Amino acid sequence: MAAEFDSLEKCLAKHLPAADLKTVNQILYGRELRSLSLPEDATSLASERDLEVQGYGIDAHQEELRAARVVRVGAIQNKIVLPTSASVDEQRTALHKRIGQMVEIAAMCGVNVLCLQEAWPMPFAFCTREKHPWCEFAEDALIGPTTKLCQEWAKKYNMVIISPILERDEVHGDTMWNTAVIISNSGQVMGKSRKNHIPRVGDFNESTYYMEGDTGHKVFETQFGRIAVNICYGRHHPQNWMMYGVNGAELVFNPSATVGTLSEPMWGIEARNAAIANSYFTCAINRVGTEHFPNEFSSGDGKPAHKDFGHFYGSTYVAAPDASRTPGLSRTRDGLLVTELDLNLCRQMKDGWGFRMTQRLNLYAESLTEAIKPDYKPPIVKE
Amino acid sequence: MAAEFDSLEKCLAKHLPAADLKTVNQILYGRELRSLSLPEDATSLASERDLEVQGYGIDAHQEELRAARVVRVGAIQNKIVLPTSASVDEQRTALHKRIGQMVEIAAMCGVNVLCLQEAWPMPFAFCTREKHPWCEFAEDALIGPTTKLCQEWAKKYNMVIISPILERDEVHGDTMWNTAVIISNSGQVMGKSRKNHIPRVGDFNESTYYMEGDTGHKVFETQFGRIAVNICYGRHHPQNWMMYGVNGAELVFNPSATVGTLSEPMWGIEARNAAIANSYFTCAINRVGTEHFPNEFSSGDGKPAHKDFGHFYGSTYVAAPDASRTPGLSRTRDGLLVTELDLNLCRQMKDGWGFRMTQRLNLYAESLTEAIKPDYKPPIVKE
C-alpha cells in the first residue's frame, strides 16, 4: 500500500459526485456527523507545529430524566522524533517534548479525555528482537518519568490522560508489560490496564518481551465517563472487547501500532464492530511514519533482513455505538482527533437495538467452560 | 438511503481514477480477488431470468502435505414473487419456482454449497405482529414441502443446501422457530440450526413469533467442509460467531433479512469482523425488494402506521479470514454470488496471525461465569 496515500475519506470526497458521496458515506460510515468548530488559535498553532487536527460531534437524543453527558475525546497519533540511533534518554525526551506540544493543543480544543498511542515514549522496537537498548525504555507505571509528566499535564489541563507505555514491574521480578496508565484529571494515577493478547506475527515479536496481561478487564470511572483500554492486538479479539462492555465501559480506547497491507483492511472493521456489538464508543489510534533501526533484522517471511518496520498508517478514528464513525486522521501525518460525544448514546442504543439484553451470556459462560476442557468434543454433525 | 442506489462497489469503480481505486479497494476490501469465469450458458440464462451473477476466487497458498480444498459457495438473494395478499400456498409455490430457477443456474456454475436467504419461502411478515395468516408459512424441518424440494435439488445437483425456513415443531407444542435446515449433497437432512439471538427492534418483532434457539452452535461436516449457520440478528453478537469457530467451522453462513439506514452501515462490518477474528469464511446474505402487506402496522417509532417493511438492501457478500472480501451483490436485484474458495486458508491464517492460539478462552470462560452471577460486582476503579 502506498505510504504516500494520505486518506481514504479525502480521496472519496475528491472524486465522487456529491449525491453519490453522500450515499457512499452513509453506507460506509453511517449517519453524517456534525463538524466540530475548533478554536482558531488552536488550529493555527497546530498548523505551525505541522499537526493535522480534525473535529467531529456525535450527538444523542435529548432525554427527559438525564442531562446530556457530553465529553470531548482526544486521540493523538505521531511519528517518533529522533533517529533510533540516538540515546534512550534523548529519544524519550524528544517524544515527551513533541507530545507536550500536541497535548497543549488538545487542551486548547477543550479535550476532557486524551489517549496517546501504544508505547508512545519509544520507537516500536519489538521487531528487532534485541533486548539492548530497547528494554531500557521500560518505566515504572506509578513513578516513572513518563507517568510523572502525564500527571503534570492532566492536572494543568484538567484532562484524563491514558498513557500507554512499556512498563517495568520491579516488584515482580523486573518483568516488563505493555501497559496503559490511566491518570485522572486531578493528576492522580487511577490504575493500569495491561495488554491482554500478545501477537506473534510478522515483525510483531512482542511475546519476546512481555506476557499476556494480568489486569483483566478493568473499567475506570472518571469524571468524564467510564473508560477502558484494549491495547493493540486485543482489538482482533471480540471477547476482549466484550468483557470491557460487560464491566460497564462507555468508551474503550485501542492504542495501537500497526503496519502493512495485511492489517489495514482490518483497521476499519474491528474497533467499529466492537462499538456496535457492545453499545459503547471506541477510539482506535495508530502511529504514523516508518521507523528505521540501527541493526538489520529478519521478518520471518523468507525475505532478506532489513532495517525498517514498514509504514505505520495512522488512520486514527472514533466509532459510535450506532455504527457511525468519524473519518480517519491522515495515513502519514502527526494528528489530533477531537470528538465531542454524548455518552447517553450508549444506553439509547442498548434500549433501541437490544444487543446487550439479547447477549445470552449464560449460554456462552457454559459453552466456553465446556469448550476449554482438554477432552472437549465439539458438536460436529456428520451424515 | 436511496433504494435505487445499485452498488457501492460499482459507484467507486465508476468514479475513482484507476490508481486511487486500487488503493481504496485495498484499504476497504483487502487483497484483490480473482475474477471467476462462469459458463456462458449459465450467465445468459441468468440474464434471461433477470438475475445478477457475480463470481470470485479466494485462493490460499499451496501446502506440501495437504491438497487444496477448493469449494464453490453459492449465495442467493431474492425478492418475493407474488403480492402478500395472495394465498399462502400460491406465495410459497411461486417462491419455490423462482428459487428453483436460480438453483439450476447455481448448479451450472458448479456450486457445491448453496445458502438461501432467511425464511426464504415467505415474505418477512414479522413486522405485522399478526399471527394470521403468516404462521401458516411455518413448516416441519424434516418433512415439510420446502425441505422435500431442497432435498430433490441437493441430490439432483450434488449440492449441499442450507434452507432457512420458519419451522413448526409439532412434537414440542406446535411451537415455531427460525431455523436453517442443512441438507447434504446426498439429499439427506443432516440437521438443523436455530436462530440463537432474536431481535426486538423497529419492525423486527420476531420475538412475538419464536424464542431464542436451543440448538447451540452445531457444525456440520459436509463433503465440502465444516459449515455452520448464524441466522440474521446473531451476526450482531461476536460471541455467537466465536462459538461456531471454537467448534471447528470453516465457513459460516449468515442468512438475513435487514433494511434501512440504521443497519446498512453495520452490514459490511459484522460478518467480516467474524471472518477475521475466527479465521474462517463467512457469507452474509440479505433479501432485496420492498414487501407490502395487506393491513397497516406501526413501527414503534411514533410515526403513522404504514403497510411496508422498507427496502431490503441485498448486498450479499463473502468475507475471508485474511480480511479480504468480495464485492456485494446489487442492493436492488435478485442475485447469485459464486465464490470459489480454498478452505486451507483458514488454518493458514490461524498459523499466520495466531488469533485462535491467543484467544485465552479460559480467561473468558472464568470471566463470564463470574459476570452472570446476580451479585456480580464489575471491577470498576474509582479515584
Side-chain angles (χ1 to χ4, degrees):
Chain A
M1 200 94 60
E4 65 275 14
F5 186 82
D6 180 51
S7 151
L8 178 79
E9 296 82 12
K10 285 177 200 155
C11 176
L12 298 182
K14 182 174 169 190
H15 294 293
L16 296 183
D20 283 340
L21 178 64
K22 195 174 167 183
T23 305
V24 165
N25 276 338
Q26 270 185 308
I27 294 175
L28 287 178
Y29 288 169
R31 67 169 163 147
E32 196 173 346
L33 301 182
R34 179 165 52 81
S35 175
L36 192 65
S37 155
L38 297 170
E40 172 64 31
D41 55 346
T43 53
S44 71
L45 191 58
S47 171
E48 246 173 62
R49 291 176 177 173
D50 191 19
L51 174 68
E52 180 192 33
V53 184
Q54 294 190 36
Y56 302 94
I58 307 182
D59 301 320
H61 73 248
Q62 205 183 320
E63 302 183 12
E64 290 195 40
L65 299 182
R66 291 198 304 184
R69 293 189 301 136
V70 176
V71 172
R72 286 210 180 184
V73 174
I76 283 178
Q77 68 176 31
N78 63 280
K79 299 173 199 167
I80 55 172
V81 178
L82 292 183
T84 58
S85 53
S87 78
V88 169
D89 187 53
E90 285 169 334
Q91 288 187 61
R92 179 161 65 196
T93 302
L95 276 160
H96 281 175
K97 189 177 161 203
R98 171 68 173 157
I99 301 306
Q101 293 178 339
M102 295 169 81
V103 174
E104 183 188 6
I105 294 171
M108 292 165 75
C109 294
V111 164
N112 306 118
V113 183
L114 177 74
C115 187
L116 306 176
Q117 70 194 20
E118 184 184 20
W120 72 269
M122 63 181 288
F124 213 68
F126 313 114
C127 53
T128 64
R129 302 188 301 288
E130 300 164 347
K131 301 297 172 90
H132 175 77
W134 315 113
C135 291
E136 287 203 54
F137 280 97
E139 302 179 39
D140 188 278
L142 295 177
I143 57 168
T146 297
T147 297
K148 287 198 177 226
L149 184 60
C150 289
Q151 288 180 287
E152 283 172 30
W153 292 336
K155 199 164 174 184
K156 179 174 176 188
Y157 300 128
N158 188 32
M159 192 189 278
V160 172
I161 296 182
I162 291 111
S163 169
I165 61 169
L166 181 63
E167 179 194 1
R168 168 80 74 187
D169 185 350
E170 291 192 9
V171 176
H172 298 96
D174 280 331
T175 50
M176 285 183 293
W177 300 90
N178 185 316
T179 302
V181 183
I182 290 82
I183 299 158
S184 165
N185 53 318
S186 71
Q188 297 299 306
V189 175
M190 292 186 76
K192 57 193 176 187
S193 192
R194 287 170 171 163
K195 183 169 179 170
N196 277 329
H197 300 264
I198 310 294
R200 292 98 164 137
V201 51
D203 280 332
F204 295 87
N205 301 297
E206 294 161 62
S207 67
T208 300
Y209 298 84
Y210 40 79
M211 301 289 283
E212 280 71 17
D214 60 354
T215 51
H217 297 87
K218 286 185 201 169
V219 171
F220 297 87
E221 188 162 321
T222 75
Q223 189 185 321
F224 308 110
R226 293 194 301 273
I227 65 179
V229 193
N230 173 355
I231 302 176
C232 198
Y233 188 76
R235 80 179 169 280
H236 304 298
H237 290 285
Q239 68 278 21
N240 192 29
W241 290 106
M242 181 170 71
M243 275 311 300
Y244 293 112
V246 167
N247 289 342
E250 298 170 300
L251 167 60
V252 183
F253 292 96
N254 176 237
S256 298
T258 183
V259 297
T261 49
L262 262 182
S263 89
E264 193 162 358
M266 303 178 180
W267 181 250
I269 300 292
E270 293 158 322
R272 194 144 165 238
N273 189 75
I276 297 167
N278 299 292
S279 301
Y280 56 44
F281 291 91
T282 62
C283 175
I285 301 168
N286 185 24
R287 16 183 102 200
V288 279
T290 302
E291 302 182 358
H292 299 266
F293 293 91
N295 306 316
E296 67 176 12
F297 54 91
S298 60
S299 298
D301 57 2
K303 293 183 185 156
H306 51 98
K307 294 188 175 182
D308 76 281
F309 203 147
H311 163 63
F312 293 100
Y313 52 78
S315 308
T316 295
Y317 69 98
V318 165
D322 67 352
S324 63
R325 59 156 282 187
T326 70
L329 288 180
S330 161
R331 293 176 73 256
T332 58
R333 293 183 63 201
D334 283 10
L336 165 69
L337 176 65
V338 182
T339 312
E340 180 178 275
L341 47 85
D342 183 346
L343 293 173
N344 281 355
L345 187 61
C346 299
R347 201 176 77 180
Q348 290 173 14
M349 289 307 298
K350 289 175 191 165
D351 291 349
W353 275 94
F355 295 149
R356 287 299 304 275
M357 175 174 81
T358 58
Q359 264 184 324
R360 302 186 72 187
L361 292 184
N362 55 345
L363 171 63
Y364 296 96
E366 286 165 27
S367 301
L368 285 177
T369 300
E370 283 306 305
I372 59 175
K373 292 180 180 166
D375 59 351
Y376 177 59
K377 288 198 175 39
I380 293 180
V381 180
K382 299 180 185 182
E383 194 171 351
Chain B
M1 201 95 58
E4 65 276 14
F5 186 82
D6 180 50
S7 152
L8 178 80
E9 295 82 12
K10 286 177 199 157
C11 175
L12 298 183
K14 182 174 169 191
H15 294 293
L16 296 183
D20 283 340
L21 178 63
K22 195 173 166 187
T23 305
V24 165
N25 277 339
Q26 268 184 309
I27 293 176
L28 287 178
Y29 289 168
R31 66 170 164 145
E32 196 172 349
L33 301 182
R34 179 165 50 83
S35 176
L36 192 64
S37 158
L38 298 170
E40 172 64 30
D41 55 347
T43 53
S44 69
L45 191 58
S47 173
E48 249 174 59
R49 292 176 177 170
D50 192 19
L51 174 68
E52 180 192 33
V53 184
Q54 293 191 39
Y56 303 94
I58 308 181
D59 302 319
H61 73 247
Q62 205 183 321
E63 302 183 11
E64 291 195 40
L65 298 182
R66 293 197 304 183
R69 293 188 302 137
V70 176
V71 172
R72 285 211 181 184
V73 174
I76 282 178
Q77 66 176 32
N78 63 280
K79 299 173 197 168
I80 54 173
V81 177
L82 293 182
T84 58
S85 53
S87 77
V88 168
D89 186 54
E90 286 169 335
Q91 288 185 63
R92 181 162 62 197
T93 302
L95 276 160
H96 282 178
K97 189 177 161 205
R98 171 67 174 157
I99 301 306
Q101 294 177 340
M102 295 168 81
V103 174
E104 184 188 5
I105 294 171
M108 292 164 74
C109 293
V111 164
N112 306 117
V113 183
L114 178 74
C115 187
L116 305 175
Q117 69 194 20
E118 184 184 20
W120 72 271
M122 63 180 289
F124 213 70
F126 312 113
C127 52
T128 65
R129 300 187 302 288
E130 299 164 348
K131 300 298 171 93
H132 175 76
W134 315 113
C135 291
E136 286 203 55
F137 279 98
E139 302 179 39
D140 189 280
L142 295 178
I143 57 168
T146 296
T147 296
K148 286 197 178 230
L149 184 60
C150 288
Q151 288 181 287
E152 283 171 29
W153 293 336
K155 201 165 172 180
K156 179 174 178 188
Y157 300 128
N158 188 33
M159 191 189 280
V160 172
I161 295 182
I162 291 112
S163 168
I165 62 169
L166 181 62
E167 178 194 3
R168 168 81 73 188
D169 184 350
E170 291 191 8
V171 177
H172 298 95
D174 278 333
T175 50
M176 285 182 296
W177 299 92
N178 186 315
T179 302
V181 184
I182 290 82
I183 299 158
S184 166
N185 52 319
S186 70
Q188 297 298 306
V189 174
M190 292 187 75
K192 57 193 177 188
S193 191
R194 287 170 170 164
K195 183 168 177 169
N196 277 331
H197 299 264
I198 311 295
R200 295 97 163 139
V201 51
D203 280 333
F204 295 87
N205 301 297
E206 295 162 63
S207 67
T208 300
Y209 298 84
Y210 41 79
M211 302 288 283
E212 280 70 18
D214 60 354
T215 50
H217 297 87
K218 286 186 202 168
V219 171
F220 297 87
E221 187 163 321
T222 75
Q223 190 184 320
F224 307 110
R226 293 194 301 272
I227 65 178
V229 192
N230 173 355
I231 303 177
C232 198
Y233 188 76
R235 83 179 166 281
H236 304 298
H237 289 287
Q239 69 277 20
N240 192 31
W241 290 107
M242 181 171 69
M243 275 311 300
Y244 293 113
V246 167
N247 288 341
E250 296 169 301
L251 168 59
V252 182
F253 292 98
N254 175 238
S256 298
T258 183
V259 298
T261 47
L262 262 180
S263 88
E264 194 161 357
M266 301 177 181
W267 180 251
I269 300 291
E270 292 157 324
R272 195 146 164 237
N273 189 74
I276 296 166
N278 298 291
S279 301
Y280 56 44
F281 292 92
T282 63
C283 175
I285 301 168
N286 184 23
R287 346 188 124 204
V288 278
T290 301
E291 302 181 359
H292 298 268
F293 293 90
N295 306 315
E296 67 176 15
F297 55 91
S298 60
S299 297
D301 57 3
K303 291 182 186 158
H306 51 97
K307 294 188 174 183
D308 76 280
F309 202 146
H311 162 63
F312 294 101
Y313 53 76
S315 308
T316 295
Y317 69 98
V318 165
D322 67 352
S324 64
R325 59 158 281 187
T326 70
L329 288 179
S330 162
R331 294 178 73 257
T332 59
R333 293 182 63 201
D334 284 9
L336 165 69
L337 176 65
V338 182
T339 312
E340 181 177 276
L341 47 86
D342 184 347
L343 294 172
N344 281 356
L345 187 60
C346 299
R347 203 177 76 178
Q348 290 173 14
M349 289 307 297
K350 289 175 192 166
D351 291 349
W353 275 93
F355 295 150
R356 288 298 306 276
M357 173 175 83
T358 58
Q359 265 185 324
R360 302 186 73 186
L361 292 184
N362 56 344
L363 171 63
Y364 297 95
E366 285 165 27
S367 300
L368 286 176
T369 301
E370 284 305 305
I372 58 174
K373 292 181 181 165
D375 60 350
Y376 178 61
K377 290 199 175 40
I380 294 181
V381 180
K382 299 180 186 183
E383 194 172 349

